[in-house]
C-alpha cells in the first residue's frame, strides 16, 4: 500500500509518498510560491532531485504537477497515479471537534472548515489542499491527521485558562497544544525502545517551533504550546510565554495595533529578537562562540525555559522515567541538550558527555552510566504518523 502525505500551506504544498510495507518515503518534495509568480516544484525520488518550474495558479494545479512528477518515467516512483491508495493530510487544528484522525467525508470537511476561526492562517490552507486532492483523486480515501489531537487527553485543569468559564464554553478559549504527531511518535518510540508502556516521559520537540509535553502511560497530560503555537518556550522567532499586559504596553509605545503586536511576537521575537543575529541555532552557536553576548543570552534563555518545563512536568506526573529530545535542535544540538539537562541530577537526569556529542541519526541513548532517567535522542517522523493513521482508516 502507498500513502501520499500532504502538508498544504497557503502558498506551499509539501508531500511524501510512503510505502507502508517498508514505512519508508519513496518520493518527497514540495511546491513553492503557489498562486505567486515564479512557482516551482522540487521533487526527489530514486536518488534524483529535479526542479520543475511551472505556473501554479492554485493548489489543484500543484497537486496535478505532484502526481505527474510521481508517475514520471525518469524521476517518478510509481507507474500510474492509481498506485496511490490513500491520501493523508496534515491538518493543524481539531478544536474539540475531533480527538483523533478521521476519514474525510463532506460533513467532516465542513467541520474542519468551521475550525478556521481557531487557526485562521493554517486551517484554510489545509482545507484548500484537501479539496484539491479530492477533486483530482476522487476515488482515493482522504484522511485528516490533526496536530492538536494527541493533546486531547489533557485533563481539564491542564487545558483550561483562568479566564471566565463562559469564554471556554462560548469561544473555545483553552490550551490545545501542537506538534501532536511528533510527541506521539517519539513517546511511542521511547516506550518501544524501553519495552514498557507505564512510563512518565517528557518529550522536547525543539525545532524552529518548540514545544514540550508530559506523556504518562502513552497519554498527553500537558503541553507547553497553548491556544496558539505562540505559547511556551521562546522559539526561533516566537516570544513564547510573556505577560499578556505587554501587548497593550508595546502597542502604545510602538504605535502598533493588537494584530501588529501579535505578528511582532510571532515573527520578530524569540531567538531572533533577543540575539539580533538569527533564528537558526547554528548561527546563534557560532555567534555566541565568537563572543556575541546577545546570542549567548538567547541560547541561555531557551535552555533555561526548556529546563523549567522538564521540572514542571516531572512534578505534574509525579516523576519522570524518560526524557526525549527531538526535531532540528533536539536531534542535532548537543550544546542545548547539555544545557537543558545540566543541574537536573536531583531528578535523576544525567547525560553521558561523549554519547551526547555523537550523532547517530537513529534512536540514541545518551544516559550517563547509572542515570535513573533514560535520556534519548529520537528522530521524529510526523509523516509516518500521518501515513499510518491514513492506512488504518482507509482500509
Ligand atoms: P525543525 O523546525 O525541526 O526543522 O528545526 C529547524 C531548526 O533546527 C533550525 O532552525 C536550526 O535552528 C536547528 N538545527 C538544525 N540542524 C542543526 C544543527 N546541526 N545544530 C544545531 N541546530 C540545528
Amino acid at each position: 500500500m502507498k500513502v501520499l502525505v500532504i502538508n498544504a500551506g497557503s502558498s506551499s504544498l509539501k508531500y511524501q509518498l510512503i510505502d507502508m510495507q517498508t514505512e519508508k518515503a519513496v518520493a518527497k518534495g514540495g511546491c513553492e510560491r503557489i498562486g505567486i509568480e515564479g512557482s516551482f516544484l522540487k521533487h526527489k525520488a530514486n536518488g534524483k532531485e529535479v526542479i520543475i518550474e511551472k505556473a501554479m495558479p492554485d493548489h489543484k494545479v500543484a497537486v496535478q504537477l505532484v502526481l505527474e512528477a510521481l508517475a514520471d518515467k525518469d524521476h517518478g516512483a510509481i507507474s500510474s497515479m492509481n498506485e496511490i491508495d490513500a491520501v493523508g493530510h496534515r491538518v493543524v487544528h481539531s478544536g474539540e471537534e475531533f480527538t483523533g484522525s478521521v476519514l474525510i467525508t463532506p460533513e467532516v470537511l465542513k467541520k474542519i472548515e468551521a475550525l478556521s476561526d481557531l487557526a485562521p492562517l493554517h486551517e484554510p490552507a489545509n482545507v484548500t489542499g484537501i479539496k484539491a486532492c479530492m477533486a483530482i483523486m476522487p476515488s482515493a480515501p482522504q484522511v485528516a491527521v490533526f496536530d492538536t489531537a494527541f493533546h486531547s487527553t489533557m485533563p481539564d485543569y491542564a487545558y483550561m485558562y483562568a479566564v471566565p468559564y463562559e469564554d471556554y464554553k462560548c469561544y473555545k478559549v483553552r490550551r490545545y497544544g501542537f506538534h501532536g504527531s511528533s510527541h506521539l511518535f517519539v513517546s511511542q518510540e521511547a516506550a518501544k525502545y524501553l519495552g514498557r508502556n507505564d512510563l512518565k516521559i517528557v518529550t522536547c520537540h525543539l525545532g524552529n517551533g518548540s514545544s514540550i509535553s508530559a506523556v504518562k502511560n502513552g497519554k498527553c497530560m500537558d503541553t507547553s504550546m497553548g491556544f496558539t503555537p505562540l505559547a511556551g518556550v521562546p522559539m526561533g522567532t516566537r516570544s513564547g510565554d510573556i505577560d499578556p499586559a505587554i501587548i497593550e504596553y508595546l502597542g502604545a509605545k510602538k504605535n502598533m495595533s493588537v494584530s501588529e503586536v501579535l505578528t511582532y511576537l510571532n515573527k520578530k521575537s524569540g531567538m531572533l529578537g533577543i540575539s539580533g543575529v538569527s533564528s537558526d541555532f547554528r548561527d546563534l552557536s557560532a555567534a555566541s562562540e565568537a563572543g556575541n553576548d546577545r546570542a549567548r543570552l538567547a541560547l541561555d534563555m531557551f535552555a533555561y525555559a526548556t529546563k523549567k518545563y522538564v521540572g514542571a512536568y516531572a512534578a505534574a506526573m509525579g516523576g519522570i522515567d524518560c526524557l526525549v529530545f527531538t526535531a532540528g535542535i533536539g536531534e542535532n544540538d548537543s550544546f542545548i541538550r547539555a544545557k537543558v539537562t545540566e543541574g537536573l541530577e536531583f531528578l535523576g537526569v544525567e547525560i553521558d558527555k561523549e554519547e551526547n556529542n555523537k550523532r547517530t541519526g537513529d534512536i540514541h541513548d545518551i544516559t550517563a552510566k547509572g542515570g535513573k532517567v533514560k535520556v534519548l535522542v529520537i528522530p521524529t517522523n510526523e509523516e509516518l504518523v500521518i501515513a499510518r493513521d491514513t492506512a488504518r482508516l482507509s482500509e
Side-chain angles (χ1 to χ4, degrees), residues 205-209 279-282 285 327-329 332-333 359:
H205 176 108
L206 309 179
N208 225 346
S279 61
D280 192 299
F281 277 60
R282 289 161 287 201
S285 296
I329 299 157
N332 295 301
D333 197 327
R359 193 175 301 172

Side-chain angles (χ1 to χ4, degrees), residues 3 15 42-43 47 81 140 142 156 164 187 190 233 295-296 308 312 324 330 366 379:
V3 172
Y15 62 93
K42 206 187 231 183
H43 172 86
M81 78 180 220
Q142 314 270 332
D156 53 4
S187 56
V233 294
R296 188 270 316 153
K308 285 206 294 185
V324 177
I366 60 168

